[in-house]
Amino acid sequence: MKLSFIFAHPDDESLSAGGTIAKYASSGHQVSTLCLSSDKVRKNEYFNAVKVLGIQNFEIYDFDDVLTHENEIKEKLIQYILRTKPEVIITHLEDDYHIDHRSTYKIVREGVEWAAHETQNENPHLVSKLYTSETTVLIPNPHTLVDISKYYSKKEEAIKCYKSQLYKGGEDFYIRFHKYRTLMRGTQASTQYAEAYLQIPLKRNSPFYKQKHSEL
Ligand SMILES: [Zn+2]
């Protein structure tokens, strides 16, 4: 399976889905990560974190934020989807507290839509599944709980790569928050640690899609 994890800032991938990324990357799936903005310090921390998570295919853009570069980023993202052809995309929550995260959700939704249009692209690509994930906002009723018990240590190691961010929310905030969040999700999932996802339904009836039918 080809999975692409697309987030706003360096560290969002590790905080939101680090265990899932490490799990799928080590289980023979083709996993890639894309980060839509960065600065010099966080870019280097991102390189270290994705290495810890076992990712070979990663990209990071040099935009200083997502919101004020939405159109440029959307164009790049459409090309990214057409080039990498992910079956599954994981991104931020639609109603996340952070404006760049909400902007990322919007760009990804629109990018997925435009990449599928045969009127726009010679070789359109229709993503099969879109999931949103928890960064620091919790999903009330998750659709999927991924067991990351064997990969929790990788997730924490990746979070610790972000030395410039670790103490932003107060001492140990990130480590404690994500430890107890994944333990809580693990409890719900009858395992030790888990990460939660919400599936976003994608329409299939566009007259501009090459493939308009699918199985249940
Ligand atoms: Zn972020």
Side-chain angles (χ1 to χ4, degrees):
M1 195 158 61
K2 286 181 101 170
L3 304 99
S4 189
F5 293 77
I6 303 171
F7 292 102
H9 310 112
D11 79 2
D12 290 327
E13 77 299 324
S14 302
L15 299 171
S16 314
T20 308
I21 293 172
K23 180 177 187 173
Y24 279 77
S26 72
S27 323
H29 297 282
Q30 292 181 57
V31 181
S32 57
T33 60
L34 170 63
C35 182
L36 303 184
S37 69
S38 65
D39 60 35
K40 210 174 159 191
V41 173
R42 292 179 75 168
K43 195 174 184 174
N44 283 325
E45 293 172 338
Y46 180 76
F47 293 150
N48 293 334
V50 292
K51 203 170 152 190
V52 166
L53 297 176
I55 298 301
Q56 315 289 334
N57 299 316
F58 54 86
E59 289 185 39
I60 183 162
Y61 298 160
D62 287 324
F63 298 104
D64 51 4
D65 66 43
V66 179
L67 183 72
T68 54
H69 302 282
E70 277 189 354
N71 287 338
E72 286 164 275
I73 294 175
K74 189 166 72 184
E75 286 309 312
K76 282 174 79 82
L77 181 69
I78 292 165
Q79 294 312 314
Y80 173 86
I81 293 171
L82 292 172
R83 192 175 73 246
T84 60
K85 302 192 185 310
E87 295 162 82
V88 179
I89 288 182
I90 297 94
T91 189
H92 287 291
L93 285 177
E94 182 178 11
D95 56 352
D96 195 282
Y97 82 95
H98 197 302
I99 198 163
D100 271 352
H101 295 184
R102 296 196 300 274
S103 177
T104 297
Y105 171 84
K106 189 177 139 205
I107 292 169
V108 169
R109 276 301 303 260
E110 290 177 8
V112 165
E113 166 69 19
W114 276 112
H117 277 225
E118 58 181 349
T119 56
Q120 300 293 317
N121 311 292
E122 210 175 307
N123 293 302
H125 176 69
L126 185 59
V127 170
S128 301
K129 287 181 178 174
L130 176 63
Y131 288 97
T132 53
S133 58
E134 300 175 312
T135 311
T136 44
V137 174
L138 300 180
I139 298 169
N141 297 297
H143 295 135
T144 304
L145 296 167
V146 175
D147 177 9
I148 60 154
S149 304
K150 283 187 195 158
Y151 302 90
Y152 178 75
S153 59
K154 289 274 177 207
K155 176 185 176 78
E156 194 171 287
E157 197 187 330
I159 293 173
K160 285 179 177 169
C161 290
Y162 292 100
K163 293 187 175 59
S164 70
Q165 306 302 307
L166 268 182
Y167 300 103
K168 269 190 174 172
E171 198 178 348
D172 282 350
F173 171 81
Y174 283 106
I175 296 297
R176 287 180 64 203
F177 183 89
H178 292 283
K179 180 176 182 177
Y180 292 117
R181 172 171 71 81
T182 50
L183 271 173
M184 182 266 288
R185 294 307 188 190
T187 307
Q188 288 181 314
S190 295
T191 181
Q192 194 178 6
Y193 293 97
E195 285 171 332
Y197 299 93
L198 192 70
Q199 190 172 355
I200 305 300
L202 295 172
K203 59 183 181 294
R204 283 290 182 269
N205 61 340
S206 166
F208 306 115
Y209 289 179
K210 211 170 193 172
Q211 185 185 324
K212 301 177 189 66
H213 59 86
S214 58
E215 301 304 318
L216 287 175

